[in-house]
Amino acid sequence: MRYDLEYVLDSALDGVLIVASDHRLVLFNRACEELCDTSRQDVVDKAYWKLSDFHQSWEAISKKDGRITYGELGAKKERMMLTHKEGKRVWVETIYTPIFDKETGEIAYVMGVIKDITELKRIEDEKERLQKELGNIRRELESKYDFSAIEGTSSQILHALKLAAQVAPQNTTVMLVGESGTGKELLAKAIHYNSSRASRPFVALNCSAFPDTLFESELFGYEKGAFTGADKSKPGKIALALGGTLFLDEVTSMSAATQAKILRVIQEREYEPLGAVRSTLADIRIIAATNKDLAPLVREGSFREDLYYRLFVYPITLPPLRERIADLPALVESLLKKFHHEMGKRIQEISAEALEVLMGYHWPGNVRELQNVMERLVILSKEDRIEVPDLPRYLVDSAGAKPLSSGIPGERFDRSSLENSVHDFERNLILKALQKCGNNKTRAAHLLGLTRSTFRYKLSKISPDYFPAADRKAKSV
Ligand SMILES: Nc1ncnc2c1ncn2[C@@H]1O[C@H](COP(=O)(O)OP(=O)(O)O)[C@@H](O)[C@H]1O
Ligand SMILES: [Mg+2]
């Protein structure tokens, strides 16, 4: 049986076209018609192909031995986008192959094989887009969890940051101590992203979130068949954090049995997934956190002393917001920026009185609570400024009970006489500087080596009466 070439080529799924040496198109199969959205009557013997770019190299090849290798063929690929009449776009890749005249060795025809690569192109574009996005996210993550993302210039927070920056590059176990919402997890991430483990995962596990048995399977993972219902194996958090950092939050919630196992992980750097016969290496750095004082728990025997010492190698204490209330304006400013970025809603100003209310509140939920309050304010605000009536009632009531500007120290300042003295000292210094500069705030700020905005915050804190009426109305953030 002899094959009818045109019939065979019409059955091919790829487009096949043949151009004669005078550039005239002599064959255009059915798949070509579909891919190019052109009927063969319109092009065969009518269209001319310019293949001069390829000719030279093909001639050189034909001079060699008349054969062309696969690698060289690959170099003659061409990609283009074809737009169909109804607007559909098709990406195609064509591979051109010369067909040499047996006698003369000259190029007699060029065959083009056209493949539809629309889906491949879409996947490639998507891959490129994802790679770019991944790069952006990684950069964003690194800057988000950079130490600079931790707001505050109070001595307590600066001290915590300094300790964290010093220990970050080491593999040392770190213990973060602080009330809920003081930024323990944020600091743990900053430590991780500033360590040599930064490109590996940061995995957080809250020890109080699971009952005892579940917690162990979360932490260590399990092998298939380890217990009824374990129909496949599951990696634990230690395996997920491999090469990276495991953040163990609320460590006081661990049972005695889990404490013993965690101790082994820290001491031996080894663990066994449930049902495993062999132990696995635990290449993780541990950062632990607690919002409770661990020492009394050790004394009463509910927390292992040996584990306590293993975890407390390098403790860092994060102060509650009320003990570093001077940081609140900067936190408010950065939160407003963050919500502007996330929600596209911009708050331009927060009145000095509203800021004073915020600074007078005791913030039991710390920065997390402040964040929630600010988010709510941004969502609900109809204007681009926040005034006292916009604030939640409990905040106004609580702050009103102990006004910060009254000069009578609120109970939060009774905690230490040092804090009281520093406050009074700062207040006197600011008032004296103002007197000296004829109430000119810019000059007074300069005299004290403060920026004008820091000076204004400090002033609003100690004596709002110093703001002239118009000035006092709005405080720009
Ligand atoms: N100093 C800070 N600067 C900016 N944001 C902070 C700061 N401290 C805490 N936050 C934010 O407050 C929220 C609670 O912090 P988190 O680290 O989860 O606290 P914790 O782990 O102590 O409960 C997070 O959204 C965090 O980004
Ligand atoms: Mg937390």
Side-chain angles (χ1 to χ4, degrees), residues 46-69:
K46 291 177 187 139
Y48 288 85
W49 241 256
K50 242 186 99 204
L51 290 164
S52 46
D53 291 350
F54 301 122
H55 262 252
Q56 241 183 352
S57 52
W58 285 336
E59 266 164 17
I61 293 161
S62 79
K63 297 251 160 60
K64 264 197 280 171
D65 59 2
R67 253 181 270 147
I68 199 161
T69 67

PDB file of all heavy atoms in Angstrom, residues 46-69:
ATOM      1  N   LYS A  46      -0.209  30.657  -3.041  1.00  0.00           N
ATOM      2  CA  LYS A  46      -0.426  32.114  -3.034  1.00  0.00           C
ATOM      3  C   LYS A  46       0.470  32.813  -2.023  1.00  0.00           C
ATOM      4  O   LYS A  46       0.980  33.900  -2.266  1.00  0.00           O
ATOM      5  CB  LYS A  46      -1.892  32.411  -2.716  1.00  0.00           C
ATOM      6  CG  LYS A  46      -2.823  31.988  -3.841  1.00  0.00           C
ATOM      7  CD  LYS A  46      -4.276  32.227  -3.490  1.00  0.00           C
ATOM      8  CE  LYS A  46      -5.157  31.615  -4.580  1.00  0.00           C
ATOM      9  NZ  LYS A  46      -6.312  30.943  -4.057  1.00  0.00           N
ATOM     10  N   ALA A  47       0.658  32.141  -0.877  1.00  0.00           N
ATOM     11  CA  ALA A  47       1.451  32.801   0.164  1.00  0.00           C
ATOM     12  C   ALA A  47       2.934  32.491  -0.021  1.00  0.00           C
ATOM     13  O   ALA A  47       3.303  31.441  -0.556  1.00  0.00           O
ATOM     14  CB  ALA A  47       0.998  32.314   1.526  1.00  0.00           C
ATOM     15  N   TYR A  48       3.769  33.438   0.394  1.00  0.00           N
ATOM     16  CA  TYR A  48       5.219  33.242   0.281  1.00  0.00           C
ATOM     17  C   TYR A  48       5.839  33.318   1.670  1.00  0.00           C
ATOM     18  O   TYR A  48       5.508  34.197   2.446  1.00  0.00           O
ATOM     19  CB  TYR A  48       5.803  34.302  -0.658  1.00  0.00           C
ATOM     20  CG  TYR A  48       5.420  34.028  -2.083  1.00  0.00           C
ATOM     21  CD1 TYR A  48       4.198  34.469  -2.589  1.00  0.00           C
ATOM     22  CD2 TYR A  48       6.266  33.271  -2.901  1.00  0.00           C
ATOM     23  CE1 TYR A  48       3.827  34.186  -3.875  1.00  0.00           C
ATOM     24  CE2 TYR A  48       5.893  32.987  -4.200  1.00  0.00           C
ATOM     25  CZ  TYR A  48       4.675  33.437  -4.689  1.00  0.00           C
ATOM     26  OH  TYR A  48       4.299  33.131  -5.956  1.00  0.00           O
ATOM     27  N   TRP A  49       6.656  32.406   1.969  1.00  0.00           N
ATOM     28  CA  TRP A  49       7.304  32.349   3.284  1.00  0.00           C
ATOM     29  C   TRP A  49       8.730  32.880   3.176  1.00  0.00           C
ATOM     30  O   TRP A  49       9.442  32.519   2.238  1.00  0.00           O
ATOM     31  CB  TRP A  49       7.374  30.895   3.756  1.00  0.00           C
ATOM     32  CG  TRP A  49       6.631  30.679   5.037  1.00  0.00           C
ATOM     33  CD1 TRP A  49       7.167  30.531   6.256  1.00  0.00           C
ATOM     34  CD2 TRP A  49       5.230  30.592   5.192  1.00  0.00           C
ATOM     35  NE1 TRP A  49       6.190  30.346   7.184  1.00  0.00           N
ATOM     36  CE2 TRP A  49       4.968  30.395   6.561  1.00  0.00           C
ATOM     37  CE3 TRP A  49       4.125  30.693   4.320  1.00  0.00           C
ATOM     38  CZ2 TRP A  49       3.713  30.264   7.098  1.00  0.00           C
ATOM     39  CZ3 TRP A  49       2.852  30.567   4.849  1.00  0.00           C
ATOM     40  CH2 TRP A  49       2.652  30.364   6.211  1.00  0.00           C
ATOM     41  N   LYS A  50       9.103  33.714   4.073  1.00  0.00           N
ATOM     42  CA  LYS A  50      10.498  34.176   4.044  1.00  0.00           C
ATOM     43  C   LYS A  50      11.260  33.352   5.061  1.00  0.00           C
ATOM     44  O   LYS A  50      11.016  33.442   6.263  1.00  0.00           O
ATOM     45  CB  LYS A  50      10.564  35.655   4.426  1.00  0.00           C
ATOM     46  CG  LYS A  50      11.127  36.508   3.286  1.00  0.00           C
ATOM     47  CD  LYS A  50      11.325  37.925   3.727  1.00  0.00           C
ATOM     48  CE  LYS A  50      12.771  38.112   4.066  1.00  0.00           C
ATOM     49  NZ  LYS A  50      13.015  39.186   4.972  1.00  0.00           N
ATOM     50  N   LEU A  51      12.117  32.506   4.595  1.00  0.00           N
ATOM     51  CA  LEU A  51      12.875  31.671   5.538  1.00  0.00           C
ATOM     52  C   LEU A  51      14.357  31.988   5.416  1.00  0.00           C
ATOM     53  O   LEU A  51      15.205  31.206   5.827  1.00  0.00           O
ATOM     54  CB  LEU A  51      12.626  30.193   5.242  1.00  0.00           C
ATOM     55  CG  LEU A  51      11.213  29.722   5.592  1.00  0.00           C
ATOM     56  CD1 LEU A  51      10.918  28.392   4.931  1.00  0.00           C
ATOM     57  CD2 LEU A  51      11.038  29.609   7.094  1.00  0.00           C
ATOM     58  N   SER A  52      14.638  33.176   4.867  1.00  0.00           N
ATOM     59  CA  SER A  52      16.044  33.505   4.604  1.00  0.00           C
ATOM     60  C   SER A  52      16.901  33.472   5.876  1.00  0.00           C
ATOM     61  O   SER A  52      18.072  33.110   5.831  1.00  0.00           O
ATOM     62  CB  SER A  52      16.154  34.864   3.925  1.00  0.00           C
ATOM     63  OG  SER A  52      15.325  35.785   4.591  1.00  0.00           O
ATOM     64  N   ASP A  53      16.286  33.815   7.021  1.00  0.00           N
ATOM     65  CA  ASP A  53      17.059  33.812   8.275  1.00  0.00           C
ATOM     66  C   ASP A  53      17.642  32.426   8.544  1.00  0.00           C
ATOM     67  O   ASP A  53      18.728  32.280   9.074  1.00  0.00           O
ATOM     68  CB  ASP A  53      16.152  34.146   9.460  1.00  0.00           C
ATOM     69  CG  ASP A  53      15.692  35.591   9.395  1.00  0.00           C
ATOM     70  OD1 ASP A  53      16.245  36.318   8.540  1.00  0.00           O
ATOM     71  OD2 ASP A  53      14.806  35.958  10.167  1.00  0.00           O
ATOM     72  N   PHE A  54      16.855  31.407   8.202  1.00  0.00           N
ATOM     73  CA  PHE A  54      17.290  30.040   8.486  1.00  0.00           C
ATOM     74  C   PHE A  54      18.188  29.470   7.391  1.00  0.00           C
ATOM     75  O   PHE A  54      18.980  28.589   7.651  1.00  0.00           O
ATOM     76  CB  PHE A  54      16.065  29.129   8.638  1.00  0.00           C
ATOM     77  CG  PHE A  54      15.138  29.555   9.738  1.00  0.00           C
ATOM     78  CD1 PHE A  54      13.807  29.850   9.478  1.00  0.00           C
ATOM     79  CD2 PHE A  54      15.607  29.673  11.034  1.00  0.00           C
ATOM     80  CE1 PHE A  54      12.966  30.248  10.493  1.00  0.00           C
ATOM     81  CE2 PHE A  54      14.756  30.071  12.057  1.00  0.00           C
ATOM     82  CZ  PHE A  54      13.431  30.368  11.784  1.00  0.00           C
ATOM     83  N   HIS A  55      17.996  29.997   6.175  1.00  0.00           N
ATOM     84  CA  HIS A  55      18.679  29.416   5.033  1.00  0.00           C
ATOM     85  C   HIS A  55      20.172  29.246   5.205  1.00  0.00           C
ATOM     86  O   HIS A  55      20.713  28.179   4.953  1.00  0.00           O
ATOM     87  CB  HIS A  55      18.384  30.233   3.761  1.00  0.00           C
ATOM     88  CG  HIS A  55      17.298  29.617   2.956  1.00  0.00           C
ATOM     89  ND1 HIS A  55      17.520  28.983   1.775  1.00  0.00           N
ATOM     90  CD2 HIS A  55      15.962  29.491   3.207  1.00  0.00           C
ATOM     91  CE1 HIS A  55      16.367  28.530   1.310  1.00  0.00           C
ATOM     92  NE2 HIS A  55      15.412  28.829   2.175  1.00  0.00           N
ATOM     93  N   GLN A  56      20.795  30.346   5.661  1.00  0.00           N
ATOM     94  CA  GLN A  56      22.251  30.328   5.749  1.00  0.00           C
ATOM     95  C   GLN A  56      22.770  29.166   6.579  1.00  0.00           C
ATOM     96  O   GLN A  56      23.619  28.396   6.138  1.00  0.00           O
ATOM     97  CB  GLN A  56      22.724  31.622   6.366  1.00  0.00           C
ATOM     98  CG  GLN A  56      23.602  32.379   5.410  1.00  0.00           C
ATOM     99  CD  GLN A  56      24.122  33.622   6.077  1.00  0.00           C
ATOM    100  OE1 GLN A  56      23.706  33.977   7.178  1.00  0.00           O
ATOM    101  NE2 GLN A  56      25.064  34.259   5.441  1.00  0.00           N
ATOM    102  N   SER A  57      22.189  29.020   7.766  1.00  0.00           N
ATOM    103  CA  SER A  57      22.697  27.962   8.643  1.00  0.00           C
ATOM    104  C   SER A  57      22.389  26.582   8.063  1.00  0.00           C
ATOM    105  O   SER A  57      23.189  25.659   8.154  1.00  0.00           O
ATOM    106  CB  SER A  57      22.125  28.099  10.045  1.00  0.00           C
ATOM    107  OG  SER A  57      20.725  28.192   9.972  1.00  0.00           O
ATOM    108  N   TRP A  58      21.205  26.450   7.434  1.00  0.00           N
ATOM    109  CA  TRP A  58      20.884  25.150   6.855  1.00  0.00           C
ATOM    110  C   TRP A  58      21.825  24.796   5.689  1.00  0.00           C
ATOM    111  O   TRP A  58      22.213  23.657   5.518  1.00  0.00           O
ATOM    112  CB  TRP A  58      19.433  25.158   6.369  1.00  0.00           C
ATOM    113  CG  TRP A  58      18.466  25.055   7.514  1.00  0.00           C
ATOM    114  CD1 TRP A  58      18.725  24.533   8.734  1.00  0.00           C
ATOM    115  CD2 TRP A  58      17.120  25.469   7.516  1.00  0.00           C
ATOM    116  NE1 TRP A  58      17.610  24.595   9.523  1.00  0.00           N
ATOM    117  CE2 TRP A  58      16.598  25.170   8.792  1.00  0.00           C
ATOM    118  CE3 TRP A  58      16.272  26.060   6.579  1.00  0.00           C
ATOM    119  CZ2 TRP A  58      15.297  25.437   9.157  1.00  0.00           C
ATOM    120  CZ3 TRP A  58      14.968  26.321   6.935  1.00  0.00           C
ATOM    121  CH2 TRP A  58      14.482  26.024   8.211  1.00  0.00           C
ATOM    122  N   GLU A  59      22.160  25.825   4.895  1.00  0.00           N
ATOM    123  CA  GLU A  59      23.085  25.571   3.790  1.00  0.00           C
ATOM    124  C   GLU A  59      24.424  25.078   4.320  1.00  0.00           C
ATOM    125  O   GLU A  59      25.012  24.138   3.810  1.00  0.00           O
ATOM    126  CB  GLU A  59      23.269  26.824   2.932  1.00  0.00           C
ATOM    127  CG  GLU A  59      22.313  26.820   1.747  1.00  0.00           C
ATOM    128  CD  GLU A  59      22.170  28.173   1.098  1.00  0.00           C
ATOM    129  OE1 GLU A  59      23.030  29.043   1.344  1.00  0.00           O
ATOM    130  OE2 GLU A  59      21.201  28.370   0.351  1.00  0.00           O
ATOM    131  N   ALA A  60      24.855  25.724   5.402  1.00  0.00           N
ATOM    132  CA  ALA A  60      26.135  25.327   6.006  1.00  0.00           C
ATOM    133  C   ALA A  60      26.071  23.868   6.444  1.00  0.00           C
ATOM    134  O   ALA A  60      26.992  23.095   6.219  1.00  0.00           O
ATOM    135  CB  ALA A  60      26.449  26.228   7.189  1.00  0.00           C
ATOM    136  N   ILE A  61      24.936  23.499   7.014  1.00  0.00           N
ATOM    137  CA  ILE A  61      24.772  22.107   7.473  1.00  0.00           C
ATOM    138  C   ILE A  61      24.781  21.155   6.270  1.00  0.00           C
ATOM    139  O   ILE A  61      25.444  20.131   6.281  1.00  0.00           O
ATOM    140  CB  ILE A  61      23.452  21.946   8.267  1.00  0.00           C
ATOM    141  CG1 ILE A  61      23.538  22.743   9.569  1.00  0.00           C
ATOM    142  CG2 ILE A  61      23.162  20.485   8.567  1.00  0.00           C
ATOM    143  CD1 ILE A  61      22.203  23.033  10.180  1.00  0.00           C
ATOM    144  N   SER A  62      24.046  21.527   5.206  1.00  0.00           N
ATOM    145  CA  SER A  62      23.954  20.629   4.056  1.00  0.00           C
ATOM    146  C   SER A  62      25.330  20.431   3.414  1.00  0.00           C
ATOM    147  O   SER A  62      25.618  19.389   2.858  1.00  0.00           O
ATOM    148  CB  SER A  62      22.961  21.163   3.039  1.00  0.00           C
ATOM    149  OG  SER A  62      23.556  22.192   2.283  1.00  0.00           O
ATOM    150  N   LYS A  63      26.176  21.476   3.551  1.00  0.00           N
ATOM    151  CA  LYS A  63      27.521  21.339   2.983  1.00  0.00           C
ATOM    152  C   LYS A  63      28.312  20.289   3.764  1.00  0.00           C
ATOM    153  O   LYS A  63      29.183  19.627   3.233  1.00  0.00           O
ATOM    154  CB  LYS A  63      28.272  22.676   3.019  1.00  0.00           C
ATOM    155  CG  LYS A  63      27.588  23.750   2.164  1.00  0.00           C
ATOM    156  CD  LYS A  63      28.390  24.070   0.910  1.00  0.00           C
ATOM    157  CE  LYS A  63      27.543  24.725  -0.162  1.00  0.00           C
ATOM    158  NZ  LYS A  63      26.920  25.992   0.215  1.00  0.00           N
ATOM    159  N   LYS A  64      27.989  20.207   5.075  1.00  0.00           N
ATOM    160  CA  LYS A  64      28.748  19.263   5.918  1.00  0.00           C
ATOM    161  C   LYS A  64      28.484  17.819   5.456  1.00  0.00           C
ATOM    162  O   LYS A  64      29.313  17.196   4.871  1.00  0.00           O
ATOM    163  CB  LYS A  64      28.361  19.411   7.397  1.00  0.00           C
ATOM    164  CG  LYS A  64      29.314  20.329   8.150  1.00  0.00           C
ATOM    165  CD  LYS A  64      29.184  20.141   9.650  1.00  0.00           C
ATOM    166  CE  LYS A  64      27.971  20.892  10.150  1.00  0.00           C
ATOM    167  NZ  LYS A  64      27.617  20.640  11.524  1.00  0.00           N
ATOM    168  N   ASP A  65      27.270  17.328   5.744  1.00  0.00           N
ATOM    169  CA  ASP A  65      26.987  15.972   5.278  1.00  0.00           C
ATOM    170  C   ASP A  65      25.512  15.791   4.932  1.00  0.00           C
ATOM    171  O   ASP A  65      25.028  14.685   4.768  1.00  0.00           O
ATOM    172  CB  ASP A  65      27.418  14.932   6.329  1.00  0.00           C
ATOM    173  CG  ASP A  65      26.706  15.135   7.643  1.00  0.00           C
ATOM    174  OD1 ASP A  65      25.868  16.048   7.711  1.00  0.00           O
ATOM    175  OD2 ASP A  65      26.969  14.370   8.586  1.00  0.00           O
ATOM    176  N   GLY A  66      24.820  16.918   4.863  1.00  0.00           N
ATOM    177  CA  GLY A  66      23.423  16.855   4.447  1.00  0.00           C
ATOM    178  C   GLY A  66      22.470  16.413   5.542  1.00  0.00           C
ATOM    179  O   GLY A  66      21.284  16.287   5.312  1.00  0.00           O
ATOM    180  N   ARG A  67      23.009  16.198   6.723  1.00  0.00           N
ATOM    181  CA  ARG A  67      22.105  15.779   7.796  1.00  0.00           C
ATOM    182  C   ARG A  67      22.041  16.849   8.879  1.00  0.00           C
ATOM    183  O   ARG A  67      22.971  17.621   9.051  1.00  0.00           O
ATOM    184  CB  ARG A  67      22.559  14.448   8.394  1.00  0.00           C
ATOM    185  CG  ARG A  67      21.612  13.335   7.950  1.00  0.00           C
ATOM    186  CD  ARG A  67      22.003  12.033   8.538  1.00  0.00           C
ATOM    187  NE  ARG A  67      22.946  11.330   7.672  1.00  0.00           N
ATOM    188  CZ  ARG A  67      23.905  10.551   8.141  1.00  0.00           C
ATOM    189  NH1 ARG A  67      24.067  10.398   9.425  1.00  0.00           N
ATOM    190  NH2 ARG A  67      24.700   9.934   7.307  1.00  0.00           N
ATOM    191  N   ILE A  68      20.995  16.844   9.576  1.00  0.00           N
ATOM    192  CA  ILE A  68      20.821  17.879  10.603  1.00  0.00           C
ATOM    193  C   ILE A  68      20.571  17.171  11.929  1.00  0.00           C
ATOM    194  O   ILE A  68      19.830  16.190  11.985  1.00  0.00           O
ATOM    195  CB  ILE A  68      19.663  18.800  10.173  1.00  0.00           C
ATOM    196  CG1 ILE A  68      19.711  20.122  10.907  1.00  0.00           C
ATOM    197  CG2 ILE A  68      18.317  18.168  10.345  1.00  0.00           C
ATOM    198  CD1 ILE A  68      18.895  21.185  10.197  1.00  0.00           C
ATOM    199  N   THR A  69      21.234  17.604  12.974  1.00  0.00           N
ATOM    200  CA  THR A  69      21.066  16.886  14.242  1.00  0.00           C
ATOM    201  C   THR A  69      19.913  17.484  15.021  1.00  0.00           C
ATOM    202  O   THR A  69      19.472  18.604  14.750  1.00  0.00           O
ATOM    203  CB  THR A  69      22.339  17.004  15.107  1.00  0.00           C
ATOM    204  OG1 THR A  69      22.457  18.357  15.479  1.00  0.00           O
ATOM    205  CG2 THR A  69      23.575  16.548  14.376  1.00  0.00           C
TER     206      THR A  69
END
